[in-house]
Amino acid sequence: AQTVTQSQPEMSVQEAETVTLSCTYDTSESDYYLFWYKQPPSRQMILVIRQEAYKQQNATENRFSVNFQKAAKSFSLKISDSQLGDAAMYFCAYRRNSGYALNFGKGTSLLVTP
Amino acid sequence: ETGVTQTPRHLVMGMTNKKSLKCEQHLGHNAMYWYKQSAKKPLELMFVYNFKEQTENNSVPSRFSPECPNSSHLFLHLHTLQPEDSALYLCASSPGEGNDEQYFGPGTRLTVT
């Protein structure tokens, strides 16, 4: 079974600063997908960014980027120019190529201070 | 707003009650999912339906019974639940093929007394 580990239960960042959230995963497969989801206090989970394991280039979506290290099985999320609206729970998730299910980490609670 | 709605948003039920959670997606997706989100634990996949057929049952107790009458609707029927079943139940949908994003509903906060 694949496991996803987020070692930071809570993180804090000042507005306009940069923060990096960590995620590691365990798998024996070579082809899979990785995701970062955001769950604000309103509870509706939304996708922030995704990465295909076969792509060497790190995914980027505006202020959000990832550092995907396949050999190390690491998938960190960097948030640049943090905004108050970025405050939320962030979940790292793994999905194998041939399945539907997402395996989630326990999440990191991000606090953004003015 | 992700195009996935869930009702009710909050539910309190006794252990002998029977209730149902409803999920509806307006995205034309073919796959739908139930997840359980408990405090201090990762989201747990419960069931997956693709084209109305159940493709995954993640060893969920029989007191949880899913129903998918069509690709737009998904139900979770609850009966004789336990207090440890109290959690946020999230529904999601996806196109159902390839590297597709799952779109989540707002969840139903269930409390079993």
Side-chain angles (χ1 to χ4, degrees):
Chain A
Q2 294 82 20
T3 57
V4 178
T5 302
Q6 292 180 249
S7 59
Q8 306 153 317
E10 295 179 350
M11 290 285 284
S12 180
V13 63
Q14 275 195 312
E15 235 181 327
E17 297 297 307
T18 296
V19 65
T20 298
L21 308 184
S22 302
C23 174
T24 58
Y25 56 94
D26 183 28
T27 185
S28 58
E29 308 205 4
S30 59
D31 200 10
Y32 48 87
Y33 304 96
L34 296 165
F35 305 83
W36 277 99
Y37 277 85
K38 170 185 177 182
Q39 189 178 37
S42 68
R43 293 290 182 178
Q44 197 132 12
M45 189 101 66
I46 54 174
L47 180 69
V48 175
I49 199 166
R50 67 178 155 205
Q51 175 83 42
E52 291 90 344
Y54 64 86
K55 289 186 177 179
Q56 293 185 331
Q57 187 171 8
N58 289 324
T60 299
E61 288 287 341
N62 301 314
R63 297 182 296 106
F64 299 87
S65 61
V66 298
N67 183 5
F68 173 48
Q69 301 289 327
K70 191 172 184 179
K73 297 180 183 175
S74 171
F75 182 61
S76 60
L77 174 69
K78 186 171 83 171
I79 306 175
S80 304
D81 187 25
S82 297
Q83 301 174 359
L84 293 176
D86 294 334
M89 283 291 290
Y90 285 82
F91 293 96
C92 178
Y94 166 102
R95 184 173 73 84
R96 57 190 174 96
N97 184 36
S98 58
Y100 293 98
L102 287 172
N103 291 299
F104 284 88
K106 290 187 177 181
T108 297
S109 177
L110 179 65
L111 175 67
V112 182
T113 57
Chain B
E1 184 62 48
T2 62
V4 180
T5 58
Q6 290 186 243
T7 55
R9 295 292 306 275
H10 300 273
L11 178 62
V12 179
M13 59 185 289
M15 288 190 284
T16 57
N17 290 159
K18 288 184 180 181
K19 296 286 185 183
S20 296
L21 309 185
K22 179 182 176 183
C23 176
E24 184 174 1
Q25 57 95 0
H26 311 275
L27 302 167
H29 289 167
N30 297 312
M32 295 188 77
Y33 312 75
W34 279 117
Y35 287 89
K36 176 183 179 183
Q37 186 176 24
S38 306
K40 308 295 184 185
K41 293 175 69 175
L43 273 81
E44 301 170 71
L45 177 70
M46 300 175 73
F47 301 103
V48 180
Y49 278 82
N50 192 34
F51 290 96
K52 302 188 297 179
E53 299 296 320
Q54 188 178 121
T55 57
E56 288 196 43
N57 176 339
N58 204 21
S59 302
V60 180
S62 60
R63 57 185 184 270
F64 295 91
S65 174
E67 178 190 1
C68 189
N70 55 61
S71 293
S72 299
H73 294 86
L74 184 65
F75 295 89
L76 189 62
H77 304 298
L78 316 170
H79 62 98
T80 59
L81 293 191
Q82 304 298 312
E84 58 265 29
D85 296 323
S86 299
L88 183 69
Y89 288 85
L90 293 170
C91 174
S93 72
S94 71
E97 54 189 36
N99 172 23
D100 53 10
E101 173 185 350
Q102 290 185 19
Y103 293 75
F104 285 81
T108 295
R109 171 65 64 187
L110 174 67
T111 303
V112 181
T113 61

